[in-house]
Amino acid sequence: MPKSTLSHILYALFCISLTTEVYAQTSENNYDAELAAALGADDYGMKSYVLVILVTGDAKITDEKQRNELFRGHFANMSRLAKDNILVVAGPLMKAEPKRGLFILNVSTVEEAEALVKTDPAVQAGIFTYELSALYSSAALMQVGEIHSSIQKLTIE
C-alpha cells in the first residue's frame, strides 16, 4: 500500500475516533436524581416559573430623595425575595425602553407572581408597571443565586 494511502487511512480513522469520542461525551447522561428533586425538576430537567417584565410606568417622580428611597425599597424587596428563594433571576434590560427589567420568579402561577410584584415600592409608586408570563425553563436556574453570591464582589444598596 502506498505511504500516502496509508496516511489517509490513518487520518480517517483518527477523525472517526475523535467523532465517536465527542459523540459519546455529548450523549452521556449525567442525571442526578437527588439534585433534580431538590431543584423541583421534571423528567426533562425543567420547571415552571413566572417571567416578569418591568415596564416604565406613568409616575414622574422628580424629587431625587423620594426616588432614591423608592429604588432602595425596590432593591430591598428584590433581596428579600431572593433570600426566600422566590426571585431566581433579575436584571435591567438595556436599550429596550419602555421595558426596564426582568424577574424570573419561582412560583407556580401568574397570580402568585402578581401578588409578589405588587409588594415592590417602585411598582406601588407607579415608576414601573409589569407584564407577566408563565415560563417553562431549566430547573438549573434555581442555582443562579448561589453561584452569583460566589462571584459578586460588590452589593447594591
Side-chain angles (χ1 to χ4, degrees):
M1 185 178 304
K3 191 173 183 178
S4 65
T5 304
L6 180 59
S7 64
H8 284 110
I9 292 170
L10 289 174
Y11 180 75
L13 289 173
F14 174 73
C15 289
I16 291 169
S17 71
L18 280 179
T19 304
T20 304
E21 185 175 314
V22 169
Y23 177 76
Q25 288 176 358
T26 58
S27 65
E28 185 177 299
N29 188 342
N30 295 319
Y31 180 69
D32 182 334
E34 188 175 312
L35 180 59
L39 299 178
D42 64 14
D43 289 344
Y44 296 101
M46 308 283 277
K47 68 177 279 140
S48 294
Y49 302 96
V50 174
L51 172 66
V52 179
I53 302 292
L54 296 175
V55 180
T56 301
D58 292 332
K60 306 295 181 220
I61 299 174
T62 56
D63 182 289
E64 188 175 338
K65 184 178 177 185
Q66 180 186 13
R67 189 170 177 80
N68 288 341
E69 185 64 30
L70 289 167
F71 274 96
R72 269 194 294 282
H74 170 69
F75 290 117
N77 192 56
M78 289 169 52
S79 292
R80 176 185 62 82
L81 293 173
K83 284 179 187 171
D84 291 344
N85 213 26
I86 295 168
L87 179 60
V88 178
V89 173
L93 296 173
M94 311 304 286
K95 299 178 184 177
E97 290 283 342
K99 296 177 181 177
R100 301 282 299 278
L102 68 82
F103 298 151
I104 295 178
L105 300 178
N106 180 27
V107 295
S108 300
T109 68
V110 169
E111 293 77 18
E112 289 175 89
E114 185 167 31
L116 292 167
V117 170
K118 286 181 176 181
T119 67
D120 187 313
V123 170
Q124 292 171 352
I127 293 173
F128 298 131
T129 61
Y130 52 89
E131 300 169 2
L132 305 169
S133 300
L135 173 67
Y136 182 63
S137 189
S138 175
L141 290 177
M142 296 302 298
Q143 294 188 318
V144 169
E146 182 180 333
I147 294 167
H148 183 78
S149 68
S150 300
I151 62 171
Q152 181 182 9
K153 188 173 183 178
L154 302 175
T155 59
I156 298 173
E157 295 180 17

